Amino acid sequence: MPYTSAEALLERSILYYQGQAVGTSAACDDRPAAANYDECFVRDFVPSALVFMMRGDHAIVRNFLVTVMQLRSQQPVMPGHQRALGLMPASFRVVEEDGRERLLADFGELAIGRVAPVDSAMWWMFLLRAYVRSSGDAAFAQQPDIQLCMRQTLELYLKESFEAAPTMLVPDASFMIDRRMGVYGHPLEIQALYYGMLHTADELLAAGEEHARLRETIRIRRDALRSYVRIYYWMGRDRLNEIHRYHSEEFGLDARNVLNVYPETIPDWIDGWLQPGSGYLVGNVGPGRIDFRFFAQGNLLAILFGLATEEEAQGIMRLYQQHWEELVGEMPLKIVFPAAQGSEWRYLTGSDPKNSPWSYHNGGNWPVLLWPFIGAARRTGRGDLAERVMFGLGEQLMKQKWPEYYDGRHGSLIGRRANFQQVWSAAAWIIAHQLMEDPASGALFDTLWAEPEPQDK
Ligand code: GLC
């Protein structure tokens, strides 16, 4: 039974510190693809946490939140500057030294490519709210140490930098796609998480004068971010036509092509592919730049967090329906479409063989994306798509030992360097299964997201 198998894997992955469950390891493979897959990654723990909360097991989530918060003090001193406390680790491990257990965090200084885990604090904030909602333990978020941690995090995430837009500017590889993939700048996934984070903070920051200014800053940024993403990231037929006929080099306040995007950047594949009535939020937007690739996680989170309008959310789900083979495939779901190939692959990935076309982050299929997909299908009333994706899937994933990802245009091949027994693959399937089978889990899940916001486009 896939359910029993997935649950057993999740159970086996639990990490203990001083007798307390504090997280889950990324994989339980005997021969993992990299040495740190036995660590607890903050982003990987999210689906595990959702499963635990659905079954009323809140202690591990609370312990995780406290552990990650405390680990911030382990921030390494970077040559030349002291890093902000608001950054949370990518992962942590439990080690034994002289018969004593110790927790060791990695803020990206050990990770392959030394990448900055910008998404960690955003997921932490999401889990904090989810924990409060699910357990009813509102007092936890009001504790002085948690409030301080939120403030320090917000200080970093709201800090004025060199942005010209309300979106957040980040380096390459700062989220789930944690290798060089040309996702620097203003990637959609970070914007969706940022929006969710600002929502959460507004709700969980203690009331009172002390937070009045911070709260105002949060609201201004959140509302501006929402409008901006809805205008500049949305790609439907009308928008595509508009860009195709754009004038460029427009100076001043009346410019229509504000970012000076040249129509020549529209990729060939999009003509005919983007059908009327459907659409999506593009992967990245910046000066003279639209990354037209479709990134699944960003789009699905934008639906769940209410960053996309209702109409856009429907358009995204219709896109899935129209391009099922390409975007869902045999083993769901495509992380990004299309894959970068040839010279584009060379300069976007730095000739990374792990990210060869239609593999891993470069167009591979990731079972972990199941949970946001089923969640988004639920939110948009597309139960038909949820059923279609789940049909026979659990048996297949179990038989193939819960791979981390699949390769190929249609995702039929087990990823060349994929781990087996990848915990978030199993946890995502459990969430999806529960959402389909158990109304109580569904009701809880629905409370974890922001209310739909006005159509202020
Ligand atoms: C890979 C993934 C990353 C994940 C980690 C652990 O590095 O790209 O998103 O957190 O593995 O599973």
Side-chain angles (χ1 to χ4, degrees):
M1 284 289 290
Y3 191 78
T4 325
S5 159
E7 282 276 345
L9 173 54
L10 185 63
E11 212 56 43
R12 200 145 50 90
S13 73
I14 297 177
L15 295 180
Y16 292 89
Y17 176 63
Q18 297 182 342
Q20 308 255 21
V22 291
T24 51
S25 58
C28 294
D29 195 336
D30 299 334
R31 293 192 303 167
N36 57 350
Y37 273 109
D38 61 353
E39 301 192 357
C40 177
F41 281 72
V42 171
R43 72 176 73 87
D44 292 49
F45 184 68
V46 173
S48 300
L50 292 176
V51 175
F52 292 129
M53 289 190 284
M54 280 175 175
R55 55 157 120 115
D57 190 355
H58 292 106
I60 182 169
V61 182
R62 187 189 165 110
N63 293 341
F64 169 88
L65 289 166
V66 172
T67 302
V68 172
M69 173 175 75
Q70 289 172 347
L71 282 171
R72 293 176 314 140
S73 63
Q74 283 191 10
Q75 275 252 32
V77 179
M78 303 294 283
H81 73 287
Q82 181 73 47
R83 289 210 349 205
L85 273 174
L87 187 74
M88 292 195 179
S91 63
F92 63 87
R93 65 167 69 218
V94 185
V95 293
E96 226 184 280
E97 275 169 10
D98 308 326
R100 286 191 51 206
E101 281 180 345
R102 258 170 46 93
L103 287 166
L104 280 187
D106 176 10
F107 292 82
E109 75 282 5
L110 303 172
I112 295 167
R114 306 292 186 260
V115 286
V118 178
D119 66 339
S120 286
M122 295 164 158
W123 282 120
W124 182 89
M125 203 79 95
F126 165 76
L127 276 188
L128 175 63
R129 179 170 178 271
Y131 167 78
V132 168
R133 290 264 159 149
S134 165
S135 67
D137 182 6
F140 177 69
Q142 300 301 314
Q143 283 177 197
D145 52 350
I146 299 276
Q147 289 285 316
L148 177 65
C149 175
M150 283 176 65
R151 277 198 300 276
Q152 286 171 335
T153 304
L154 290 163
E155 200 177 301
L156 175 64
Y157 282 73
L158 285 166
K159 198 191 218 127
E160 192 173 328
S161 168
F162 297 102
E163 288 101 339
T167 36
M168 183 183 259
L169 181 64
V170 295
D172 218 337
S174 58
F175 53 104
M176 177 184 177
I177 297 180
D178 58 357
R179 292 167 86 94
R180 182 175 160 195
M181 263 284 286
V183 288
Y184 58 89
H186 306 91
L188 177 65
E189 182 170 330
I190 285 288
Q191 312 315 323
L193 284 168
Y194 190 34
Y195 185 71
M197 177 192 226
L198 296 176
H199 243 290
T200 308
D202 188 20
E203 190 181 306
L204 296 186
L205 271 179
E209 246 334 274
E210 183 199 4
H211 291 142
R213 278 199 60 173
L214 179 56
R215 200 182 292 283
E216 201 191 329
T217 313
I218 289 173
R219 289 184 182 169
I220 291 173
R221 186 77 181 253
R222 182 196 62 196
D223 294 350
L225 174 67
R226 187 179 61 235
S227 305
Y228 186 89
V229 169
R230 288 179 177 184
I231 294 170
Y232 292 103
Y233 284 66
W234 180 250
M235 188 57 58
R237 264 293 174 91
D238 291 348
R239 176 85 175 132
L240 187 61
N241 269 308
E242 190 186 338
I243 297 173
H244 179 60
R245 292 171 53 80
Y246 259 165
H247 293 283
S248 49
E249 316 295 337
E250 294 172 314
F251 171 79
L253 292 176
D254 297 332
R256 279 177 55 74
N257 182 3
V258 176
L259 296 169
N260 201 36
V261 171
Y262 294 102
E264 287 75 9
T265 59
I266 297 175
D268 283 348
W269 56 265
I270 210 165
D271 168 38
W273 189 82
L274 185 60
Q275 293 166 30
S278 68
Y280 64 101
L281 297 165
V282 294
N284 216 318
V285 171
R289 175 182 189 203
I290 294 183
D291 182 341
F292 286 84
R293 287 177 291 175
F294 174 84
F295 287 83
Q297 175 97 312
N299 273 279
L300 298 171
L301 291 178
I303 294 177
L304 286 168
F305 282 123
L307 176 57
T309 65
E310 302 272 336
E311 205 185 324
E312 289 169 354
Q314 290 296 338
I316 296 166
M317 296 316 281
R318 228 170 281 129
L319 189 82
Y320 269 110
Q321 184 175 15
Q322 289 164 355
H323 293 287
W324 194 262
E325 246 115 78
E326 286 162 319
L327 299 182
V328 179
E330 273 189 41
M331 297 306 282
L333 284 99
K334 187 67 75 199
I335 191 169
V336 52
F337 178 90
Q341 317 204 36
S343 55
E344 201 189 4
W345 165 76
R346 267 190 292 280
Y347 67 70
L348 280 186
T349 71
S351 300
D352 182 350
K354 191 161 178 180
N355 271 335
S356 61
W358 306 110
S359 184
Y360 200 51
H361 296 142
N362 187 14
N365 288 26
W366 290 67
V368 64
L369 297 173
L370 258 183
W371 79 261
F373 181 80
I374 302 290
R378 196 180 158 82
R379 181 142 174 161
T380 50
R382 295 305 308 261
D384 55 326
L385 300 183
E387 271 172 33
R388 189 169 168 195
V389 76
M390 287 299 279
F391 185 74
L393 182 66
E395 285 73 14
Q396 194 67 358
L397 284 168
M398 175 182 71
K399 215 167 87 201
Q400 297 181 335
K401 303 205 228 65
W402 306 103
E404 179 188 15
Y405 66 96
Y406 288 82
D407 284 346
R409 216 170 244 280
H410 298 124
S412 65
L413 304 159
I414 296 173
R416 192 176 291 156
R417 297 208 213 152
N419 294 317
F420 292 109
Q421 315 297 352
Q422 183 80 15
V423 176
W424 69 2
S425 298
W429 183 82
I430 300 175
I431 299 168
H433 175 77
Q434 290 288 94
L435 290 182
M436 312 278 296
E437 303 292 321
D438 172 26
S441 297
L444 167 64
F445 186 87
D446 294 344
T447 67
L448 305 183
W449 310 96
E451 296 302 315
E453 284 295 330
Q455 316 275 317
D456 64 352
K457 203 159 157 176

